[in-house]
Amino acid sequence: MPARDLRKLGDPVLRRVAKPVELNLVGSSEFQALVDDLIDTMHTAKGAGLAAPQIGESVRLAAVHVHDNPRYPYKPNFPLTVFINPRLTFLTDEEASVFEGCLSVPDLRGRVRRKMRVRVDAWDRLGQPFSVEAAGLTAGTFQHELDHLDGVLFVDRVEDPRTLTTWSNFDRFHREAFVVEATALVARWGG
Ligand code: NI
Protein backbone atom coordinates (compact mmCIF):
# COMPACT_ATOMS: atom_id res chain seq x y z
CA MET A 1 0.00 0.00 0.00
CA PRO A 2 1.31 3.45 -0.83
CA ALA A 3 2.18 6.13 1.66
CA ARG A 4 -0.17 9.06 1.18
CA ASP A 5 0.48 12.79 1.14
CA LEU A 6 0.51 14.31 4.59
CA ARG A 7 -2.00 17.10 5.16
CA LYS A 8 -0.41 20.19 6.66
CA LEU A 9 -1.47 23.04 8.95
CA GLY A 10 -4.09 25.16 7.21
CA ASP A 11 -5.81 22.19 5.53
CA PRO A 12 -9.43 22.27 6.79
CA VAL A 13 -9.53 18.47 7.16
CA LEU A 14 -7.20 18.84 10.16
CA ARG A 15 -9.74 21.10 11.86
CA ARG A 16 -12.85 18.93 11.47
CA VAL A 17 -14.26 16.73 14.20
CA ALA A 18 -13.78 13.33 12.57
CA LYS A 19 -16.73 10.97 12.10
CA PRO A 20 -16.98 7.65 13.97
CA VAL A 21 -16.08 4.56 11.96
CA GLU A 22 -19.05 2.28 11.33
CA LEU A 23 -17.89 -0.95 12.96
CA ASN A 24 -19.68 -3.15 10.42
CA LEU A 25 -17.44 -1.64 7.73
CA VAL A 26 -14.13 -2.33 9.51
CA GLY A 27 -13.69 -5.65 7.69
CA SER A 28 -14.17 -4.12 4.23
CA SER A 29 -11.19 -4.09 1.87
CA GLU A 30 -11.61 -0.34 1.51
CA PHE A 31 -11.27 0.30 5.24
CA GLN A 32 -8.42 -2.19 5.61
CA ALA A 33 -6.58 -0.41 2.78
CA LEU A 34 -7.05 2.88 4.64
CA VAL A 35 -5.52 1.35 7.79
CA ASP A 36 -2.56 0.06 5.73
CA ASP A 37 -2.09 3.49 4.15
CA LEU A 38 -2.15 5.15 7.58
CA ILE A 39 0.51 2.77 8.92
CA ASP A 40 2.67 3.04 5.79
CA THR A 41 2.50 6.83 5.81
CA MET A 42 3.39 6.92 9.52
CA HIS A 43 6.38 4.63 8.95
CA THR A 44 7.58 6.47 5.84
CA ALA A 45 7.43 9.83 7.65
CA LYS A 46 8.99 8.34 10.82
CA GLY A 47 6.08 9.53 12.96
CA ALA A 48 5.43 8.17 16.45
CA GLY A 49 1.76 8.19 15.55
CA LEU A 50 -0.62 9.33 12.85
CA ALA A 51 -4.33 10.06 12.68
CA ALA A 52 -6.56 9.54 9.64
CA PRO A 53 -7.29 13.29 9.13
CA GLN A 54 -3.55 13.71 8.51
CA ILE A 55 -3.93 11.63 5.34
CA GLY A 56 -7.14 13.41 4.39
CA GLU A 57 -9.74 11.04 5.88
CA SER A 58 -12.00 12.60 8.48
CA VAL A 59 -12.70 9.39 10.42
CA ARG A 60 -11.90 8.36 14.00
CA LEU A 61 -8.90 6.18 13.24
CA ALA A 62 -5.34 6.60 14.51
CA ALA A 63 -2.17 4.58 14.93
CA VAL A 64 0.78 4.73 17.31
CA HIS A 65 4.11 2.98 16.86
CA VAL A 66 7.43 3.85 18.48
CA HIS A 67 10.39 1.67 17.58
CA ASP A 68 13.76 3.36 18.13
CA ASN A 69 12.33 6.48 16.50
CA PRO A 70 15.07 8.78 15.16
CA ARG A 71 12.81 11.85 15.44
CA TYR A 72 12.27 11.12 19.14
CA PRO A 73 15.17 8.96 20.39
CA TYR A 74 14.17 9.54 24.05
CA LYS A 75 10.72 8.02 23.55
CA PRO A 76 10.13 4.54 24.96
CA ASN A 77 9.21 1.94 22.34
CA PHE A 78 5.53 1.11 21.97
CA PRO A 79 4.16 -1.63 19.70
CA LEU A 80 2.14 -0.80 16.61
CA THR A 81 -1.41 -0.15 17.80
CA VAL A 82 -4.42 0.86 15.70
CA PHE A 83 -7.26 2.73 17.39
CA ILE A 84 -10.75 2.87 15.95
CA ASN A 85 -13.29 5.17 17.65
CA PRO A 86 -10.96 5.64 20.66
CA ARG A 87 -12.15 7.10 23.96
CA LEU A 88 -9.62 8.66 26.28
CA THR A 89 -9.76 8.55 30.09
CA PHE A 90 -7.31 10.42 32.29
CA LEU A 91 -6.05 8.19 35.12
CA THR A 92 -4.19 10.96 36.94
CA ASP A 93 -4.38 14.72 37.24
CA GLU A 94 -0.60 14.92 37.18
CA GLU A 95 0.78 16.67 34.14
CA ALA A 96 4.19 17.30 32.67
CA SER A 97 5.38 19.78 30.09
CA VAL A 98 6.81 18.01 27.05
CA PHE A 99 8.10 19.20 23.70
CA GLU A 100 5.87 18.00 20.89
CA GLY A 101 6.07 18.11 17.16
CA CYS A 102 3.63 16.99 14.48
CA LEU A 103 4.02 15.75 10.91
CA SER A 104 1.23 18.15 9.95
CA VAL A 105 3.07 21.13 11.45
CA PRO A 106 6.42 21.10 9.64
CA ASP A 107 9.56 22.25 11.40
CA LEU A 108 7.95 23.38 14.63
CA ARG A 109 8.09 22.09 18.18
CA GLY A 110 6.69 23.52 21.39
CA ARG A 111 5.88 22.67 24.97
CA VAL A 112 2.49 21.15 25.79
CA ARG A 113 1.20 19.99 29.17
CA ARG A 114 -0.06 16.40 29.05
CA LYS A 115 -1.61 14.09 31.62
CA MET A 116 0.89 11.43 32.65
CA ARG A 117 -1.40 8.39 32.80
CA VAL A 118 -4.29 7.61 30.48
CA ARG A 119 -6.42 4.73 29.30
CA VAL A 120 -7.76 4.38 25.78
CA ASP A 121 -10.75 2.18 25.00
CA ALA A 122 -11.05 1.48 21.29
CA TRP A 123 -11.57 -1.17 18.62
CA ASP A 124 -8.69 -2.75 16.74
CA ARG A 125 -8.46 -3.22 12.97
CA LEU A 126 -10.28 -6.55 13.28
CA GLY A 127 -13.16 -4.79 15.03
CA GLN A 128 -12.33 -6.24 18.45
CA PRO A 129 -12.69 -3.97 21.49
CA PHE A 130 -9.59 -3.44 23.61
CA SER A 131 -8.22 -1.22 26.35
CA VAL A 132 -4.70 0.04 26.75
CA GLU A 133 -3.05 2.16 29.41
CA ALA A 134 -0.10 4.42 28.82
CA ALA A 135 2.05 6.61 31.00
CA GLY A 136 4.64 9.34 30.64
CA LEU A 137 5.69 10.29 27.11
CA THR A 138 3.56 7.53 25.60
CA ALA A 139 0.51 8.97 27.37
CA GLY A 140 1.38 12.30 25.72
CA THR A 141 1.58 10.63 22.32
CA PHE A 142 -1.87 9.08 22.80
CA GLN A 143 -3.36 12.47 23.76
CA HIS A 144 -1.69 14.13 20.75
CA GLU A 145 -3.03 11.56 18.26
CA LEU A 146 -6.55 11.53 19.71
CA ASP A 147 -6.62 15.34 19.63
CA HIS A 148 -6.31 15.09 15.84
CA LEU A 149 -9.68 13.32 15.74
CA ASP A 150 -11.26 16.39 17.33
CA GLY A 151 -9.56 18.85 15.00
CA VAL A 152 -7.05 19.91 17.65
CA LEU A 153 -3.35 20.44 16.88
CA PHE A 154 -0.55 20.70 19.43
CA VAL A 155 -0.06 24.36 18.55
CA ASP A 156 -3.53 25.00 20.06
CA ARG A 157 -2.30 23.59 23.37
CA VAL A 158 1.18 25.10 23.53
CA GLU A 159 1.49 26.40 27.08
CA ASP A 160 3.54 29.41 26.05
CA PRO A 161 4.08 30.41 22.41
CA ARG A 162 7.57 31.52 23.34
CA THR A 163 8.52 27.83 23.65
CA LEU A 164 7.94 27.34 19.91
CA THR A 165 11.13 26.43 18.09
CA THR A 166 12.27 25.08 14.75
CA TRP A 167 13.74 21.58 14.77
CA SER A 168 17.27 22.82 14.15
CA ASN A 169 16.99 25.31 17.01
CA PHE A 170 15.47 22.60 19.21
CA ASP A 171 18.59 20.52 18.52
CA ARG A 172 20.84 23.51 19.04
CA PHE A 173 19.32 25.14 22.12
CA HIS A 174 16.76 22.89 23.82
CA ARG A 175 17.40 19.21 23.13
CA GLU A 176 20.03 18.64 25.77
CA ALA A 177 17.94 20.01 28.65
CA PHE A 178 14.79 18.32 27.38
CA VAL A 179 16.43 14.91 27.12
CA VAL A 180 17.29 15.21 30.83
CA GLU A 181 13.62 16.00 31.58
CA ALA A 182 12.35 13.26 29.29
CA THR A 183 14.69 10.71 30.84
CA ALA A 184 13.37 11.64 34.31
CA LEU A 185 9.79 11.27 33.07
CA VAL A 186 10.55 7.84 31.64
CA ALA A 187 12.21 6.84 34.93
CA ARG A 188 9.22 8.03 36.93
CA TRP A 189 6.32 6.93 34.74
CA GLY A 190 7.75 4.31 32.41
CA GLY A 191 6.30 4.14 28.89
NI1 NI B 1 0.28 15.25 15.04
Side-chain angles (χ1 to χ4, degrees), residues 122-188:
W123 285 263
D124 67 17
R125 68 178 298 170
L126 302 176
Q128 300 299 311
F130 71 101
S131 248
V132 60
E133 289 188 13
L137 297 175
T138 308
T141 302
F142 281 23
Q143 289 162 81
H144 176 115
E145 297 311 327
L146 270 53
D147 267 353
H148 277 297
L149 305 182
D150 291 323
V152 174
L153 299 174
F154 85 90
V155 287
D156 308 347
R157 295 198 188 275
V158 161
E159 57 180 323
D160 179 347
R162 289 172 296 185
T163 66
L164 290 168
T165 173
T166 64
W167 274 81
S168 62
N169 280 337
F170 175 77
D171 288 342
R172 187 172 171 198
F173 298 113
H174 306 288
R175 177 181 287 279
E176 201 177 343
F178 182 61
V179 167
V180 173
E181 288 177 41
T183 304
L185 285 177
V186 172
R188 163 129 194 246

Side-chain angles (χ1 to χ4, degrees), residues 48-166:
L50 199 65
Q54 295 181 273
I55 57 169
E57 301 287 342
S58 190
V59 295
R60 304 189 78 80
L61 163 70
V64 168
H65 188 200
V66 183
H67 183 82
D68 301 340
N69 191 304
R71 268 167 72 92
Y72 310 102
Y74 44 80
K75 273 194 189 217
N77 285 339
F78 193 84
L80 173 62
T81 306
V82 171
F83 301 98
I84 293 168
N85 298 343
R87 284 167 296 133
L88 181 72
T89 305
F90 297 141
L91 300 180
T92 179
D93 289 330
E94 279 197 64
E95 295 180 336
S97 160
V98 292
F99 268 100
E100 292 193 7
C102 179
L103 293 169
S104 294
V105 185
D107 201 23
L108 206 60
R109 312 204 75 194
R111 281 188 178 273
V112 179
R113 298 194 69 77
R114 295 294 191 185
K115 296 284 195 282
M116 285 289 102
R117 193 177 291 282
V118 300
R119 186 183 73 238
V120 174
D121 297 286
W123 285 263
D124 67 17
R125 68 178 298 170
L126 302 176
Q128 300 299 311
F130 71 101
S131 248
V132 60
E133 289 188 13
L137 297 175
T138 308
T141 302
F142 281 23
Q143 289 162 81
H144 176 115
E145 297 311 327
L146 270 53
D147 267 353
H148 277 297
L149 305 182
D150 291 323
V152 174
L153 299 174
F154 85 90
V155 287
D156 308 347
R157 295 198 188 275
V158 161
E159 57 180 323
D160 179 347
R162 289 172 296 185
T163 66
L164 290 168
T165 173
T166 64

